[in-house]
Amino acid sequence: MRRYFFIMVLVLICHHLSFSQPLFFQQQNVEKNAFVNEAISFLGKEIQYSLDELKSPENQPTTLFGEPTGGDFASASFAQTLQRYAVLSGKNQLGSHQLDSWIKYYFLKEVTGGGTTFSQLFAASVLYQSCVEKNKLSTSPLWNGLSAEQQKAVIKFLDVTRFWDEAKDDMGGRSNNYYAVALYIEAYCNAMTISTDENRYSRLMKKCMEVLEKNNGVLDDSKKFTGSFDRYLHEFNRFVWEASELVNDEPGQLKMEAWIKRSSLLWWQLLSPATGHASLWGRSRQNSWDDTFEQVGFFALHPNLSPASLPQLGANYINCWNIYFANEYNADRHLNRMLDEGRATWSYAKRNRIWSYSVGTLSKICSSLSQLKKGLDANQLETIANNIPSKNSSILHFFNNKNGVWIFQNAKRNIAIPFVGNGATSDYLPVPYGLDEIEMPVEVTLPMMVPFINLENGEIVTVCQGADAVRLIKNNELLLQWNDVQTTKGLPANKGIKVTCNWQIKNKSVEMFLVFVPQQTFSIRKFDFRVPLSEAFGGTVSCDATWQMSRKESAADAATYHGGAFKKIGRIISFEADQLQWEAGKPYTFKLIIKK
């Protein structure tokens, strides 16, 4: 009897362990229904872990799966995750948990908590999706289950003027992508006829158009319009388009169509089969994995805007699923790996956001999977050819006359060199992102693959802001030129030092050749250049310059370098020189070679 009991316990333990592991789809042809059903099953089990850990909606632990709770947007994000899973699966129950009661509790928790921006957007989405009949709030069991006072509180909570000061045209100091967040919230309220201003949607749409118009249809996410860009362009455009659909804004769509097709092509060309994502640089690198899922879902329902065919989209969705759950999600902890040892995020995304980011990604997977399935069903595609051919491309995309990105891809390389404007922050520098050899740190202003020139008066200058001239020399070689150096904040330094930077990307090496031509004589206190190598790098790094350099190697301590977005930084190689004299009109050269 004891032996039988032991076997039964062992079977139960093994079963529990087995369903905690993610599913990977490696077969050449993936049957649609099998993929969807197995994905739903896995997503449901992962979401249920959170429900089981919480035990009841009212239970609010200070930690969850060993991480602190209470990060921004967490309550509305969890409500949206549960609702999207319910829509995807057609189920209102996970284990012993009735999802409706959990959704209502977390929805109201966000409302009473007074969050803004994405808290409002997620709550608006939950309320809208609860309507049995489209746009009819009177058919929503969630809404009808609220008291009159609670309904008033919800309407007040969803008012976008809580964070948008229209008179001052101020989003509370937030970046330009928040105009689309406000527009989307307002569109939900407009569609459900609970907006307190029926013309506010039109005014917000006008603001979104103005933001795009200032940069030829590309979102500049900086308030000063310096050319700053990352994946928020794609999210911004999705939000604007989906908002326009909620209120049947055909004129808005007509104006957006060319711009969104342009950004769609940029996303598709940036999308890396090796990493499953397209956010190779910018402050969203560490939380960009859900972007591929959402982009694919959006294009599956909007083939007229898509840069790729539906079979190609499906193959990339499966590829992203495999990569995300193999590398970016810890199924044993039921959390993503955004702050694993050696990894870092921007300062606003601390440990108390790990759980909400994790369930938020599951939410976006649930929603995008529903969209992908609709697209596949509409086109009667029963199988997805799980094949992504390697891209062979060398393309320059210009955002404006000084800012843009070079995309270089082949079977062995997938890199982007952005020349965008956000100062000398490591996430935005005009250097290669996506290389196996290099892992750029997150949110530090240090000489990471760019020179920091410390002048005798203490000023530090570099090249970090756009480029005055950009040219492809050949398929794998890019030339960047600056008429002058800039401050580390990306402002004109007015020093009269011309700089040319030549990048060559080869299968076994990366080469950078810098040429400085000062227009007057300079005394330089220190020249500083650092190479952040990935943990797995086993090659060589060499440097040659027209002045004597010292070489140092060190560990990438977290206090200085914070960590990498996707993997641990192995070591830092620094090339330094003190007390240099640069004479007017003479060229000074610096060459870096990184070999695998």
Side-chain angles (χ1 to χ4, degrees), residues 176 208 210-221 225 227-230 233 236-237 259 262-263 266 397-400 403-404 420:
N176 290 330
C208 289
E210 287 175 358
V211 167
L212 291 174
E213 284 168 349
K214 286 186 178 181
N215 206 30
N216 194 27
V218 177
L219 173 71
D220 183 331
D221 209 30
F225 292 92
S228 176
F229 161 81
D230 57 26
L233 165 66
F236 184 95
N237 283 347
W259 289 341
R262 181 186 175 194
S263 73
L266 174 62
H397 280 269
F398 286 95
F399 305 150
N400 51 45
N403 302 94
V420 298

Side-chain angles (χ1 to χ4, degrees), residues 200-454:
R200 188 184 292 141
Y201 166 86
S202 298
R203 300 196 300 275
L204 275 166
M205 175 60 88
K206 183 180 178 182
K207 285 301 306 179
C208 289
M209 294 299 101
E210 287 175 358
V211 167
L212 291 174
E213 284 168 349
K214 286 186 178 181
N215 206 30
N216 194 27
V218 177
L219 173 71
D220 183 331
D221 209 30
S222 63
K223 298 302 291 184
K224 294 181 180 179
F225 292 92
T226 59
S228 176
F229 161 81
D230 57 26
R231 64 106 178 179
Y232 289 108
L233 165 66
H234 310 309
E235 182 181 80
F236 184 95
N237 283 347
R238 279 199 317 271
F239 283 5
V240 172
W241 191 275
E242 290 173 349
S244 72
E245 290 179 322
L246 288 171
V247 296
N248 299 315
D249 179 8
E250 292 183 5
Q253 292 175 5
L254 187 63
K255 192 162 187 177
M256 276 290 295
E257 186 170 354
W259 289 341
I260 200 169
K261 285 181 178 178
R262 181 186 175 194
S263 73
S264 301
L265 182 61
L266 174 62
W267 168 77
W268 180 247
Q269 290 170 338
L270 281 169
L271 182 61
S272 165
T275 60
H277 68 91
S279 299
L280 302 181
W281 79 91
R283 63 191 172 94
S284 61
R285 283 188 299 150
Q286 77 283 346
N287 64 334
S288 65
W289 289 94
D290 45 42
D291 201 48
T292 299
F293 295 118
E294 289 191 296
Q295 287 285 97
V296 168
F298 177 80
F299 291 132
L301 294 186
H302 300 88
N304 60 312
L305 303 175
S306 179
S309 67
L310 188 58
Q312 289 174 313
L313 293 172
N316 276 279
Y317 192 96
I318 290 173
N319 183 56
C320 187
W321 172 286
N322 289 336
I323 292 172
Y324 177 75
F325 286 110
N327 301 292
E328 301 304 314
Y329 188 82
N330 188 332
D332 293 328
R333 297 190 68 210
H334 320 296
L335 297 171
N336 68 29
R337 299 183 182 274
M338 60 188 263
L339 285 173
D340 275 12
E341 182 185 359
R343 293 184 58 171
T345 66
W346 271 58
S347 55
Y348 61 79
K350 295 183 173 65
R351 302 209 75 89
N352 65 352
R353 284 199 183 187
I354 292 180
W355 176 68
S356 63
Y357 271 25
S358 301
V359 296
T361 297
L362 297 180
S363 168
K364 293 174 180 182
I365 294 174
C366 287
S367 176
S368 60
L369 186 58
S370 294
Q371 293 173 319
L372 178 61
K373 184 178 183 302
K374 286 179 183 177
L376 295 170
D377 289 345
N379 288 270
Q380 299 180 332
L381 290 178
E382 297 302 321
T383 59
I384 302 170
N386 193 9
N387 176 41
I388 304 176
S390 62
K391 300 175 183 179
N392 288 286
S393 61
S394 181
I395 301 167
L396 274 175
H397 280 269
F398 286 95
F399 305 150
N400 51 45
N401 63 346
K402 293 193 67 166
N403 302 94
V405 61
W406 175 43
I407 302 164
F408 177 73
Q409 295 177 327
N410 59 29
K412 296 183 178 180
R413 293 294 196 191
N414 189 95
I415 67 104
I417 295 182
F419 30 104
V420 298
N422 203 34
T425 307
S426 58
D427 307 68
Y428 290 91
L429 294 171
V431 301
Y433 294 84
L435 288 171
D436 293 336
E437 299 94 316
I438 297 168
E439 178 60 29
M440 294 292 287
V442 174
E443 200 187 11
V444 295
T445 301
L446 292 167
M448 297 288 97
M449 303 294 290
V450 296
F452 273 24
I453 303 168
N454 192 328

Side-chain angles (χ1 to χ4, degrees), residues 581-594:
Q581 190 82 4
W582 283 1
E583 297 178 15
K586 285 186 64 175
Y588 294 85
T589 63
F590 174 93
K591 187 172 184 179
L592 176 78
I593 301 176
I594 303 173

